[in-house]
């Protein structure tokens, strides 16, 4: 059995379009889930407003302990039962955002809670307002600490978008399946597409690591 | 909302649950074994092993599980290797989890102070003895929370096997949806099953992390 790599190479543009789609989906989902994650994290850190705390905690725990694929199915196949219909791409973006926001909430919460209590006390004692405290003291430190973890989460979202192939969202994995159905060059196509994913992963993780080392790592940080 | 469908098709769901358990346990056992062996080899003295092992770990951590599944399940039969869906899925899940677990253990081994290695060498320990008696027990203490955390991810990821028609919980759910409709009730029940398995584990992870942190 001779392997013939001409099929994926000839369809390079088509596959690259899929990779671009994958990246777009990832960036959009990551951005939306970051916003939702901030809200969830704030609700999870204030036990004073107990109903909000309870709702956000329940949400985060439910999402983090059930598979993303089941969540995608629930939104795309389950909700039409109640008359709520989404197109595949809408359902995909909503499901992945719902999924990822729970993880983002935990990452943000851990980042803020990892800041030593003395930092809060010190900023209060020099008379900073609550907003200033957050803006100049807490946020920069929390950001530095969370950045590498958030970077890993971003890569996880890239991988999760491949699940949307099941809804026929035309991202990279879906295009590999379509191409396979047309040409039957199965192994070559899937190996090639795995390679594209790896290159994507490599570029993005290198970028994150470099940013972290170059701009964010602070060796003199006090804990 | 009509929950009678769950009771009616309980046998299908139960068989799916058993298959999910089977795949999870297989992947956890074989993946952990693979991961430990590879992390030991990657931190060991055989220099020529390092490049291929790093390539394997990088490849499986740098691509989605779904595409790996397609590559092996469709790809192997394409080059004439007969493989049934359980073998293919078990193989992919083992390789996938092996790569992640190798990385967890490698980080654990590297966090053991160098003096431990040197002291063991000075006492004349063989490499095997040093690893199993001194290094791995200390590694396990550090690696256990992320390891259990990854097991949770892995159990959830077994649902991806439904895409290639492997008869686990979600796939059985899809089958029932095709017969009886009621997708919402079925999918919610399936979510609950995963939650009942994963949530205690994640509480355990949180508890362990807190204990390590206090120490």
């Amino acid at each position: 059995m001779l392997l013939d790599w001409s099929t994926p190479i000839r369809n390079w543009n088509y596959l690259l379009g899929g990779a671009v789609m994958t990246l777009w989906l990832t960036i959009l989902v990551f951005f939306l889930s970051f916003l939702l994650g901030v809200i969830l994290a704030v609700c999870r850190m204030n036990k004073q407003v107990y109903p909000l705390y309870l709702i956000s905690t329940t949400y985060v725990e439910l999402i983090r302990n059930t598979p993303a694929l089941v969540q995608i199915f629930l939104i795309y196949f389950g909700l039409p039962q109640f008359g709520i219909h989404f197109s595949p791409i809408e359902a995909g973006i909503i499901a992945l955002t719902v999924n990822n926001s729970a993880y983002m909430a935990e990452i943000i919460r851990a980042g803020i809670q990892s800041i030593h209590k003395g930092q809060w006390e010190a900023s209060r004692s020099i008379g900073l307002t609550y907003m200033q405290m957050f803006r100049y003291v807490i946020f920069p430190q929390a950001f530095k600490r969370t950045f590498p973890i958030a970077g890993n989460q971003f890569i996880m979202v890239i991988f999760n978008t491949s699940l949307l192939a099941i809804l026929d969202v035309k991202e990279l994995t879906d295009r590999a399946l379509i191409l396979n159905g047309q040409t039957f060059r199965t192994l070559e196509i899937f190996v090639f597409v795995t390679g594209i994913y790896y290159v994507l992963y490599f570029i993005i993780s290198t970028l994150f690591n470099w940013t972290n080392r170059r701009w964010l790592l602070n060796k003199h940080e006090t804990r | 909302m009509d929950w009678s469908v769950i009771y009616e098709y309980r046998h299908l769901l139960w068989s799916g649950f058993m298959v999910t358990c089977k795949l999870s346990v297989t992947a956890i056992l074989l993946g952990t074994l693979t991961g430990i062996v590879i992390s030991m080899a990657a931190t060991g003295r055989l220099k020529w092993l390092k490049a291929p092992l790093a390539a394997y770990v990088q490849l499986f951590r740098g691509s989605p599980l779904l595409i790996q599944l397609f590559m092996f399940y469709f790809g192997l039969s394409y080059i004439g290797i007969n493989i049934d869906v359980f073998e293919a899925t078990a193989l992919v899940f083992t390789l996938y989890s092996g790569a992640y677990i190798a990385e967890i253990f490698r980080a654990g081994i590297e966090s053991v102070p160098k003096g431990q290695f040197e002291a063991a060498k000075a006492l004349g320990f063989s490499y095997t003895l040093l690893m199993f008696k001194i290094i791995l027990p200390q590694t396990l203490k550090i690696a256990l929370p992320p390891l259990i955390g990854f097991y949770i991810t892995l159990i959830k990821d077994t649902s991806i096997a439904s895409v290639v028609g492997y008869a686990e919980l979600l796939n059985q759910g899809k089958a029932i949806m095709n017969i009886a409709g009621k997708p919402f009730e079925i999918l919610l029940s399936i979510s609950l099953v995963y939650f009942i398995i994963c949530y205690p584990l994640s509480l355990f992870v949180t508890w362990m992390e807190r204990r390590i942190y206090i120490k």
Side-chain angles (χ1 to χ4, degrees), chain A residues 207-218:
Chain A
L207 201 69
F208 281 140
N209 285 336
W210 178 83
T211 310
N212 194 29
R213 269 202 314 273
R214 177 73 180 75
W215 302 106
L216 300 175
L217 270 188
N218 182 357

Side-chain angles (χ1 to χ4, degrees), chain A residues 64 81 103 185 188 198, chain B residues 58 78 156 174 183-185:
Chain A
R64 287 177 76 226
Q81 226 169 296
Y103 291 91
R185 284 281 168 200
E188 293 92 332
Y198 179 72
Chain B
Q58 280 278 305
Y78 176 75
K156 289 185 300 177
K174 280 198 301 194
F184 192 80
E185 289 86 339

Side-chain angles (χ1 to χ4, degrees), chain A residues 67-73 77 163 165-167 177, chain B residues 16-17 19-20 23 65-66 69-70 73-74 85-86 88-90 92-93 154-178 187 190 194:
Chain A
L69 192 54
V70 177
Q71 291 157 15
I72 292 167
F73 276 32
F77 297 112
L163 298 177
I166 293 144
L167 308 185
L177 283 167
Chain B
F17 173 70
V19 172
T20 288
L23 180 58
L65 180 58
L66 185 59
L69 204 55
F70 288 152
Y73 182 51
F74 298 141
V85 74
F86 174 70
T89 322
V92 172
F93 274 80
L154 192 58
I155 291 166
K156 289 185 300 177
D157 278 344
T158 55
S159 63
I160 291 173
S162 68
V163 179
V164 292
Y166 184 70
E168 48 68 73
L169 190 56
L170 183 57
N171 199 56
Q172 300 302 74
K174 280 198 301 194
I176 302 166
M177 272 154 53
N178 290 336
L187 291 166
I190 287 172
Y194 281 108

Side-chain angles (χ1 to χ4, degrees), chain B residues 93-118:
Chain B
F93 274 80
T94 300
L95 291 172
Y96 166 81
S97 56
Y100 276 87
I101 292 169
E103 206 56 19
I104 291 170
F105 270 96
R106 197 183 54 82
I109 290 171
E110 282 173 357
S111 72
V112 175
K114 243 190 134 74
Q116 300 280 329
F117 290 85
E118 287 158 0

Side-chain angles (χ1 to χ4, degrees), chain A residues 113-131:
Chain A
Q113 286 183 338
S114 75
I115 306 297
H116 197 278
K117 236 173 123 163
Q119 298 281 331
W120 295 92
E121 288 159 0
S123 31
R124 192 165 306 157
S125 70
I126 58 169
L128 296 182
T129 64
Y130 193 82
M131 278 316 286

Side-chain angles (χ1 to χ4, degrees), chain A residues 24-219:
Chain A
W24 266 123
L25 283 167
T26 305
I27 290 165
L28 183 63
V29 164
F30 195 80
F31 175 73
L32 292 174
S33 56
F34 177 78
L35 296 181
L36 195 53
V38 169
I39 296 166
L40 285 165
V42 169
C43 292
R44 282 210 66 186
M45 283 186 296
N46 281 338
K47 274 197 181 176
Q48 288 90 341
V49 197
Y50 200 75
L52 281 181
Y53 167 82
L54 202 65
I55 291 166
S56 57
T57 302
T58 311
Y59 174 88
V60 167
E61 293 297 1
L62 278 177
I63 298 294
R64 287 177 76 226
N65 291 296
T66 51
L69 192 54
V70 177
Q71 291 157 15
I72 292 167
F73 276 32
L74 261 172
I75 285 168
Y76 188 67
F77 297 112
L79 289 184
Q81 226 169 296
F82 307 102
I84 306 167
H85 296 269
F86 290 115
S87 72
I89 192 157
E90 287 167 350
I93 289 166
I94 291 167
L96 289 183
T97 302
V98 162
N99 178 268
N100 195 45
S101 63
Y103 291 91
M104 290 309 286
E106 279 306 89
I107 291 169
I108 293 161
R109 189 180 65 100
I112 291 172
Q113 286 183 338
S114 75
I115 306 297
H116 197 278
K117 236 173 123 163
Q119 298 281 331
W120 295 92
E121 288 159 0
S123 31
R124 192 165 306 157
S125 70
I126 58 169
L128 296 182
T129 64
Y130 193 82
M131 278 316 286
Q132 284 173 320
M133 234 189 263
F134 197 81
R135 163 79 183 76
Y136 294 105
V137 181
I138 308 303
F139 177 76
Q141 295 184 66
F143 183 80
K144 276 177 190 173
R145 259 178 221 176
T146 343
F147 186 82
I149 307 162
N152 281 342
Q153 195 54 40
F154 186 87
I155 287 161
M156 282 299 151
V157 179
I158 296 180
F159 295 164
N160 273 344
T161 55
S162 72
L163 298 177
L164 302 186
I166 293 144
L167 308 185
D168 298 331
V169 172
K170 300 275 177 288
E171 46 66 70
L172 187 51
T173 301
D174 194 47
R175 290 192 186 202
L177 283 167
I178 292 167
L179 204 57
N180 179 44
Q182 287 167 349
T183 63
F184 300 110
R185 284 281 168 200
T186 309
L187 188 66
E188 293 92 332
I189 289 165
F190 287 124
V191 168
F192 195 83
V193 170
T194 305
I196 296 179
Y197 270 114
Y198 179 72
V199 169
L200 212 58
Y201 159 84
F202 183 81
I203 291 170
I204 287 170
S205 61
T206 308
L207 201 69
F208 281 140
N209 285 336
W210 178 83
T211 310
N212 194 29
R213 269 202 314 273
R214 177 73 180 75
W215 302 106
L216 300 175
L217 270 188
N218 182 357
K219 291 185 179 62

